[in-house]
Amino acid sequence: MKMYQSLLTVCTAGLLASCTTLEEVGDKVAGGEDGDRIRNVIVMIGDGMGPQQVGLLDSYIRYSSNPVLDSSAFDRMASEGVVGIARTESNQVLVVDSAASATQFASGKMAGSEMIGADFRGNRAESMLEVAQGKGMAVGLVSDTRLTHATPAAYAAHQQHRSLENEIAVEMLETGADVMLSGGIRHWLPQGVNEEGSALRQEIEALTGGTIRLTSRRQDDRNLLAEAREAGYDLSFNRSDLAASHGDRLLGLYAYSGMLDGIAHTQAGDGAERIQPSLTEMTSKALSVLEKDEDGFFLMVEGGQIDWAAHNNDAGTMLHEMIKFSDAIDVVLDWMKGRDDTLLVVSADHETGGFGFAYSRNDLPEGQPLDGDIFQGDDYKPNWNFGRVETLDRLYDQALSYDGIFSQFDSLEESQQTPENLRMIVNANTQFPITLAQARRVLETELNVYYVEDHGTLSAERFPLMHERKAFYVYGSGIRKNILASVVAEQSNVVWASDNHSSTPVYLFAMGPDDTTDAFKGILHTTEWAREIIDVLD
């Protein structure tokens, strides 16, 4: 099989004789007068953000009765920059996970599934962040998931498996990115913090301001916060800390695991009561710190919870996540105005969920008269329900994510975890009310869905898709969310293929001087666009 590491041949349209290799294209971009202009490289990744997810945001802006955005950052990039398509598969498989994909677009090397910072043979794969460090540039990582999660980890760590987040935290600190802002404090705390009332716990509570759940996932007593401070990092644990920081090295950890989901962030607004910084605020702070370096900088920003919402088949939260990510891209585009020394690339690691709107046989439209002469008094009556545009407003008006809904439900006394109470919580927080019978269906457990043949408690007639396609619903702990999505689908016209990743190619946007962005047109593999960036950096 021809490997993606081989040189891509780029040919002038209609002139097969005028072909140059990818290496030569990189030389033209990176060398001489053109290359001297590129001081800064920014990569922004919408985790799980396929064309369908971008399309959801576009449809909302176009057809909502009162959209919160006039336009999206993707519109800006499409009109002012270039748009390509990226293939995402990893070595010898059709569907990529976030670790392999991030490794590929961080290093330009093909990776094996679930590896961090290693090529498919298991060798250390140098990332573009490390290349930039080697050139004396400042470097930064920003994410709204966990700092040790797959995408940021692949830029600053090299591990056998993405699950080794304790080891990843240590290695990220050793790599020493100048700015690291995200959630996931649990992998940076010594295990002794779990002892209630201990002096260590009181010390870290005072340090963090008491705004973060302090439970360590480490199996040792390494205090990575103390080590970071000794290494010269300013530490930040809330929005106020972040705004007040003036150092050249900054480590910010703002949540036990992931930061506020899109709906929770929208609900919190910009008031003083919001404790966590937003993805936009973290991005803006990273720019303000990194731009001080006279050698330029490299920055990676991840909108990571687009993927999490899609895994849950939660379209309303996914819409809010897309708005959140678009806002973060906008702040970068605004910062870039008037500059010709910066390359911005926006893409995704994969699509999640096989999301889309579909027409259905449910709630068929009524006939209506039209003035046009073709109908001559006959009613216009489509055969199917093609999805009403007001659905977009109903999705946006969701008040709790599916995670939030089931967190609220699970916090009830066990005797109160009833279909009646689930129905009440769902109907109070979404615009797609469910019936009591549907609430009962949602509360069927993963065991019922996966082992109906053995237990006989859930018929294929009640859950035909879950029953027949159970192999593609792999996250058992979240199956209730996927079932809730299937229950409300008749009202929303939202369909999902699974609760995991698909092989759908993703968008690739680039903005910067024309001679640097031309290389991002067409259909590229993630390793190919990564090598274009590495050529610019190197």
Side-chain angles (χ1 to χ4, degrees), residues 144-145 254-255 257-269 274-279 305 308 321 324:
D144 59 1
T145 60
Y254 305 107
S257 180
M259 297 177 67
L260 293 176
D261 65 52
I263 289 180
H265 173 263
T266 299
Q267 298 286 335
R274 174 161 59 83
I275 295 171
Q276 290 184 12
S278 67
L279 185 63
Q305 295 194 48
W308 292 5
E321 294 294 348
K324 186 208 295 184

Tab-separated table of all heavy atoms in Angstrom, residues 144-145 254-255 257-269 274-279 305 308 321 324:
chain	number	residue	atom	x	y	z
A	144	ASP	N	-10.957	22.996	25.606
A	144	ASP	CA	-12.029	23.043	26.603
A	144	ASP	C	-12.357	21.654	27.142
A	144	ASP	O	-13.353	21.470	27.820
A	144	ASP	CB	-13.287	23.715	26.033
A	144	ASP	CG	-13.839	23.020	24.797
A	144	ASP	OD1	-13.259	21.992	24.371
A	144	ASP	OD2	-14.858	23.503	24.250
A	145	THR	N	-11.497	20.652	26.837
A	145	THR	CA	-11.681	19.315	27.402
A	145	THR	C	-10.732	19.163	28.586
A	145	THR	O	-10.863	19.839	29.576
A	145	THR	CB	-11.445	18.233	26.331
A	145	THR	OG1	-10.113	18.343	25.821
A	145	THR	CG2	-12.441	18.365	25.204
A	254	TYR	N	-8.919	24.481	34.840
A	254	TYR	CA	-10.141	25.136	35.295
A	254	TYR	C	-11.284	24.190	35.647
A	254	TYR	O	-12.371	24.653	35.970
A	254	TYR	CB	-10.602	26.123	34.214
A	254	TYR	CG	-9.521	27.106	33.837
A	254	TYR	CD1	-8.855	27.003	32.618
A	254	TYR	CD2	-9.122	28.098	34.736
A	254	TYR	CE1	-7.837	27.886	32.291
A	254	TYR	CE2	-8.098	28.985	34.412
A	254	TYR	CZ	-7.466	28.869	33.189
A	254	TYR	OH	-6.445	29.742	32.878
A	255	ALA	N	-11.031	22.885	35.592
A	255	ALA	CA	-12.103	21.940	35.900
A	255	ALA	C	-11.488	20.596	36.271
A	255	ALA	O	-10.349	20.288	35.904
A	255	ALA	CB	-13.041	21.769	34.696
A	257	SER	N	-12.514	17.689	35.126
A	257	SER	CA	-12.361	17.007	33.845
A	257	SER	C	-12.591	18.032	32.740
A	257	SER	O	-11.820	18.974	32.603
A	257	SER	CB	-13.324	15.826	33.740
A	257	SER	OG	-13.178	15.160	32.505
A	258	GLY	N	-13.661	17.870	31.964
A	258	GLY	CA	-13.953	18.844	30.923
A	258	GLY	C	-14.524	20.131	31.501
A	258	GLY	O	-15.107	20.155	32.591
A	259	MET	N	-14.371	21.207	30.755
A	259	MET	CA	-14.892	22.511	31.178
A	259	MET	C	-16.382	22.600	30.840
A	259	MET	O	-17.003	21.622	30.422
A	259	MET	CB	-14.081	23.619	30.520
A	259	MET	CG	-12.611	23.599	30.961
A	259	MET	SD	-11.582	24.842	30.160
A	259	MET	CE	-12.283	26.358	30.830
A	260	LEU	N	-16.985	23.760	31.027
A	260	LEU	CA	-18.416	23.911	30.808
A	260	LEU	C	-18.803	23.475	29.398
A	260	LEU	O	-18.157	23.865	28.422
A	260	LEU	CB	-18.839	25.372	31.007
A	260	LEU	CG	-18.757	25.954	32.407
A	260	LEU	CD1	-19.121	27.435	32.374
A	260	LEU	CD2	-19.673	25.203	33.367
A	261	ASP	N	-19.878	22.675	29.292
A	261	ASP	CA	-20.358	22.333	27.961
A	261	ASP	C	-21.007	23.562	27.322
A	261	ASP	O	-21.190	24.600	27.966
A	261	ASP	CB	-21.318	21.141	28.006
A	261	ASP	CG	-22.624	21.417	28.748
A	261	ASP	OD1	-23.303	22.419	28.435
A	261	ASP	OD2	-22.989	20.615	29.626
A	262	GLY	N	-21.332	23.439	26.043
A	262	GLY	CA	-21.813	24.596	25.292
A	262	GLY	C	-23.040	25.244	25.873
A	262	GLY	O	-23.140	26.479	25.935
A	263	ILE	N	-24.018	24.436	26.302
A	263	ILE	CA	-25.239	25.007	26.869
A	263	ILE	C	-24.956	25.643	28.222
A	263	ILE	O	-25.431	26.747	28.518
A	263	ILE	CB	-26.344	23.936	26.969
A	263	ILE	CG1	-26.843	23.578	25.567
A	263	ILE	CG2	-27.504	24.421	27.841
A	263	ILE	CD1	-27.931	22.529	25.541
A	264	ALA	N	-24.178	24.957	29.064
A	264	ALA	CA	-23.837	25.536	30.375
A	264	ALA	C	-23.081	26.842	30.203
A	264	ALA	O	-23.300	27.810	30.954
A	264	ALA	CB	-23.007	24.541	31.180
A	265	HIS	N	-22.214	26.904	29.203
A	265	HIS	CA	-21.488	28.145	28.941
A	265	HIS	C	-22.431	29.249	28.494
A	265	HIS	O	-22.339	30.394	28.944
A	265	HIS	CB	-20.414	27.912	27.875
A	265	HIS	CG	-19.731	29.164	27.430
A	265	HIS	ND1	-20.108	29.845	26.295
A	265	HIS	CD2	-18.725	29.881	27.982
A	265	HIS	CE1	-19.350	30.919	26.165
A	265	HIS	NE2	-18.499	30.960	27.170
A	266	THR	N	-23.374	28.916	27.607
A	266	THR	CA	-24.359	29.908	27.160
A	266	THR	C	-25.190	30.400	28.329
A	266	THR	O	-25.438	31.608	28.471
A	266	THR	CB	-25.279	29.311	26.077
A	266	THR	OG1	-24.471	28.929	24.945
A	266	THR	CG2	-26.317	30.319	25.628
A	267	GLN	N	-25.627	29.473	29.172
A	267	GLN	CA	-26.447	29.837	30.320
A	267	GLN	C	-25.670	30.727	31.295
A	267	GLN	O	-26.236	31.638	31.900
A	267	GLN	CB	-26.941	28.574	31.047
A	267	GLN	CG	-27.824	27.665	30.209
A	267	GLN	CD	-29.219	28.215	30.017
A	267	GLN	OE1	-29.702	28.993	30.823
A	267	GLN	NE2	-29.882	27.806	28.945
A	268	ALA	N	-24.380	30.475	31.437
A	268	ALA	CA	-23.569	31.266	32.382
A	268	ALA	C	-23.365	32.688	31.878
A	268	ALA	O	-23.229	33.625	32.680
A	268	ALA	CB	-22.223	30.587	32.600
A	269	GLY	N	-23.322	32.892	30.566
A	269	GLY	CA	-23.161	34.229	30.006
A	269	GLY	C	-21.818	34.846	30.355
A	269	GLY	O	-20.854	34.153	30.695
A	274	ARG	N	-19.754	33.771	36.346
A	274	ARG	CA	-19.100	32.682	35.609
A	274	ARG	C	-17.660	32.563	36.095
A	274	ARG	O	-16.861	33.482	35.953
A	274	ARG	CB	-19.158	32.912	34.103
A	274	ARG	CG	-18.355	31.851	33.321
A	274	ARG	CD	-18.736	31.765	31.857
A	274	ARG	NE	-18.555	32.996	31.143
A	274	ARG	CZ	-17.406	33.429	30.623
A	274	ARG	NH1	-16.296	32.715	30.790
A	274	ARG	NH2	-17.348	34.573	29.953
A	275	ILE	N	-17.321	31.404	36.620
A	275	ILE	CA	-16.006	31.190	37.219
A	275	ILE	C	-14.992	30.750	36.174
A	275	ILE	O	-13.846	31.206	36.171
A	275	ILE	CB	-16.103	30.141	38.349
A	275	ILE	CG1	-16.978	30.682	39.483
A	275	ILE	CG2	-14.721	29.777	38.874
A	275	ILE	CD1	-17.311	29.662	40.539
A	276	GLN	N	-15.379	29.859	35.282
A	276	GLN	CA	-14.447	29.363	34.279
A	276	GLN	C	-14.286	30.355	33.129
A	276	GLN	O	-15.253	30.986	32.718
A	276	GLN	CB	-14.954	28.039	33.702
A	276	GLN	CG	-14.905	26.863	34.633
A	276	GLN	CD	-15.337	25.572	33.947
A	276	GLN	OE1	-15.472	25.514	32.720
A	276	GLN	NE2	-15.563	24.539	34.733
A	277	PRO	N	-13.092	30.464	32.591
A	277	PRO	CA	-12.934	31.259	31.364
A	277	PRO	C	-13.559	30.516	30.185
A	277	PRO	O	-13.707	29.290	30.210
A	277	PRO	CB	-11.414	31.357	31.212
A	277	PRO	CG	-10.882	30.139	31.887
A	277	PRO	CD	-11.813	29.876	33.045
A	278	SER	N	-13.923	31.264	29.178
A	278	SER	CA	-14.465	30.650	27.966
A	278	SER	C	-13.326	30.226	27.049
A	278	SER	O	-12.166	30.623	27.227
A	278	SER	CB	-15.364	31.646	27.235
A	278	SER	OG	-14.590	32.722	26.738
A	279	LEU	N	-13.652	29.426	26.040
A	279	LEU	CA	-12.655	29.053	25.042
A	279	LEU	C	-12.115	30.296	24.345
A	279	LEU	O	-10.907	30.402	24.073
A	279	LEU	CB	-13.272	28.092	24.026
A	279	LEU	CG	-12.320	27.505	22.979
A	279	LEU	CD1	-11.237	26.658	23.634
A	279	LEU	CD2	-13.095	26.676	21.947
A	305	GLN	N	-15.427	19.776	22.766
A	305	GLN	CA	-16.683	19.193	23.224
A	305	GLN	C	-17.755	19.126	22.138
A	305	GLN	O	-18.856	18.635	22.394
A	305	GLN	CB	-17.169	19.947	24.450
A	305	GLN	CG	-16.219	19.783	25.631
A	305	GLN	CD	-16.818	20.230	26.951
A	305	GLN	OE1	-17.939	19.869	27.290
A	305	GLN	NE2	-16.079	21.034	27.688
A	308	TRP	N	-17.889	15.517	22.115
A	308	TRP	CA	-18.592	14.920	23.254
A	308	TRP	C	-20.102	15.001	23.068
A	308	TRP	O	-20.829	14.049	23.368
A	308	TRP	CB	-18.168	15.613	24.552
A	308	TRP	CG	-16.737	15.356	24.935
A	308	TRP	CD1	-15.805	14.683	24.215
A	308	TRP	CD2	-16.084	15.763	26.139
A	308	TRP	NE1	-14.606	14.659	24.878
A	308	TRP	CE2	-14.737	15.310	26.063
A	308	TRP	CE3	-16.485	16.486	27.256
A	308	TRP	CZ2	-13.812	15.539	27.080
A	308	TRP	CZ3	-15.551	16.719	28.275
A	308	TRP	CH2	-14.241	16.244	28.189
A	321	GLU	N	-21.956	24.141	21.066
A	321	GLU	CA	-20.512	23.925	20.962
A	321	GLU	C	-19.965	24.529	19.672
A	321	GLU	O	-18.864	25.094	19.662
A	321	GLU	CB	-20.181	22.427	21.015
A	321	GLU	CG	-20.484	21.747	22.331
A	321	GLU	CD	-19.625	22.227	23.481
A	321	GLU	OE1	-18.618	22.944	23.229
A	321	GLU	OE2	-19.940	21.907	24.633
A	324	LYS	N	-19.677	28.179	20.223
A	324	LYS	CA	-18.519	28.444	21.084
A	324	LYS	C	-17.220	28.398	20.287
A	324	LYS	O	-16.355	29.268	20.432
A	324	LYS	CB	-18.482	27.411	22.210
A	324	LYS	CG	-17.405	27.646	23.263
A	324	LYS	CD	-16.942	26.365	23.932
A	324	LYS	CE	-17.991	25.671	24.735
A	324	LYS	NZ	-17.434	24.470	25.439
